[in-house]
Amino acid sequence: MVGKICGTGSYVPPHVMSNDDLAKIVDTNDAWIRERTGIGRRHIIKGETTSYMAGQAALKAVEDSGIDPAQIELILVATSSSETVFPCAACEVQKTIGAVHAAGYDLNAACTGFVLAFNTAQAYISAGIYKTVMVIGADSMSCMVDWTDRSTCILFGDGAGAAILCAEEGEPAFMAAHSDGVKGEALTGLSRHRGGWKPEGEDKESYIHMDGQAVFKFAVRKVPEIIEEVLSKADAELEDIDHFVLHQANRRIIEAVAKRLKTDISKFPMNLEEYANTSAATVPILLDELNRKGQLRRGEKVMLSGFGAGLTWAACLFEW
Ligand code: COA
């Protein structure tokens, strides 16, 4: 059995922060951000939460699929920014959509989270454990960035995306995943709970810290490698892939990956100009956009790939 996507949904907060808005709070400008990243705007929560966004994306996916939420057996939420440690965001989603028979848990692998959750769902389905699984990526990066640090705050946005996988007979999904904890220092977002309770309150160290160039080089090297690894498992060729749906961190990273793979950039859809890097949410938000625009046709081959803090990276090849 394989998990076929039978419904998608996404949610981004209505409040928009443009590059010009950012230039009013840090020393930056629209031209610099666009040239280095491809980002033009980002959507930022104003009172919404990560699990609220996850729930809204899930409701839309349920509507798109036409299934009864009571059929959903498992809800996986990939997030590193849930507003509560517990209950987990997956249980909040369960409540929102009325998936009364589902089990649920959260999974944290930063920006790689959605692809790893998708792979986990595929593994459960191919093992015959579950038939209907909701997979969500949701993050509120605006709560994690230091809004006085121009090297990181320009990169991120908030949002959520969801996909429902339904078991069907068919070609299996092929997947791979890796981590390199030794290089974890390149991108960190520390828990505010570490070392016990601190009465003095705000702790600057808890914000995102990043060696931008190290992360850039890692992504440009490891994403093509893992795509080739999955292709070889599937006994498939690069030309067989119709859509490369990559984590939307930076236009230059995606262009460099396409170049390394000697594949036309038109096969690498992008929406980061509008949403920036929404961490675990980028891949499912993009999948939902492509689905709603009718750009994914039954039988087409889709390659997902995520990368990010950990360091972590993952990929999955499946048929739409
Ligand atoms: N606006 C204007 N100038 C900025 C700036 C900003 N927002 N941020 C940094 N700069 C300046 C730096 O201070 C530096 O100035 P200097 O030369 O006077 O010291 C100059 O721009 C170049 O900085 P550098 O860090 O070398 O730029 P870069 O070309 O590496 O681009 C990133 C920075 C962050 C855009 C790039 O490294 C990147 O995209 N990395 C990957 C990050 C990522 O995607 N992370 C998430 C992965 S999940």
Side-chain angles (χ1 to χ4, degrees):
M1 297 299 258
V2 63
K4 288 266 182 187
I5 295 185
C6 56
T8 63
S10 62
Y11 176 88
V12 291
H15 178 70
V16 169
M17 189 183 254
S18 68
N19 292 342
D20 289 335
D21 293 332
L22 265 178
K24 291 178 193 144
I25 57 173
V26 286
D27 182 15
T28 190
N29 58 75
D30 180 61
W32 193 96
I33 300 173
R34 281 184 189 274
E35 193 204 313
R36 304 282 173 127
T37 70
I39 295 166
R41 302 158 18 123
R42 68 283 296 139
H43 293 242
I44 302 290
I45 52 172
K46 284 253 173 189
E48 301 97 324
T49 62
T50 298
S51 58
Y52 172 80
M53 295 192 294
Q56 295 305 301
L59 281 173
K60 290 186 189 156
V62 166
E63 192 188 340
D64 184 47
S65 70
I67 66 163
D68 175 353
Q71 271 176 256
I72 298 169
E73 294 160 296
L74 178 68
I75 300 169
L76 294 175
V77 178
T79 183
S80 52
S81 59
S82 188
E83 70 281 6
T84 54
V85 177
F86 49 80
C88 61
C91 289
E92 292 292 315
V93 170
Q94 175 190 31
K95 188 168 68 182
T96 303
I97 66 173
V100 287
H101 297 126
Y105 61 92
D106 294 358
L107 184 157
N108 173 6
C111 301
T112 316
F114 179 82
V115 181
L116 279 170
F118 191 89
N119 285 357
T120 304
Q122 290 289 4
Y124 276 124
I125 289 171
S126 73
I129 296 168
Y130 296 119
K131 290 192 185 64
T132 312
V133 182
M134 169 82 79
V135 190
I136 299 171
D139 270 308
S140 310
M141 301 309 285
S142 64
C143 302
M144 297 185 72
V145 294
D146 177 353
W147 288 100
T148 64
D149 175 11
R150 68 177 182 173
S151 67
T152 52
C153 75
I154 59 155
L155 299 172
F156 297 99
D158 301 334
I164 302 176
L165 295 182
C166 298
E168 272 185 27
E169 296 291 346
E171 167 106 341
F174 295 91
M175 57 188 87
H178 299 283
S179 305
D180 183 357
V182 172
K183 301 212 176 79
E185 287 296 311
L187 180 47
T188 58
L190 302 183
S191 163
R192 294 190 181 175
H193 306 287
R194 77 192 190 291
W197 179 64
K198 291 193 185 66
E200 64 271 23
E202 272 299 298
D203 173 0
K204 271 240 174 194
E205 279 177 44
S206 65
Y207 293 121
I208 289 176
H209 288 273
M210 184 178 65
D211 178 343
Q213 287 179 9
V215 174
F216 194 100
K217 283 183 200 149
F218 144 75
V220 168
R221 197 168 61 245
K222 292 301 180 185
V223 173
E225 262 178 41
I226 201 166
I227 287 174
E228 298 278 13
E229 181 185 345
V230 170
L231 286 172
S232 122
K233 284 185 182 182
D235 202 15
E237 305 291 333
L238 275 165
E239 304 76 63
D240 300 334
I241 309 302
D242 298 289
H243 309 275
F244 294 84
V245 179
L246 302 194
H247 171 46
Q248 304 284 296
N250 182 313
R251 171 181 287 278
R252 282 160 62 222
I253 291 177
I254 295 173
E255 285 170 351
V257 169
K259 199 168 164 199
R260 280 204 180 202
L261 292 172
K262 299 188 176 63
T263 299
D264 197 279
I265 192 70
S266 64
K267 285 192 173 184
F268 291 74
M270 284 184 242
N271 63 3
L272 53 84
E273 184 186 6
E274 178 65 32
Y275 305 117
N277 178 349
T278 55
S279 193
T282 65
V283 168
I285 291 175
L286 183 52
L287 270 180
D288 183 47
E289 270 190 16
L290 296 171
N291 182 26
R292 279 168 203 271
K293 285 183 191 155
Q295 289 175 359
L296 299 166
R297 279 172 284 277
R298 194 92 176 145
E300 282 187 333
K301 290 199 189 311
V302 181
M303 177 74 78
L304 307 183
S305 183
F307 56 89
L311 298 172
T312 53
W313 61 108
C316 186
L317 167 61
F318 65 98
E319 235 179 59
W320 187 258

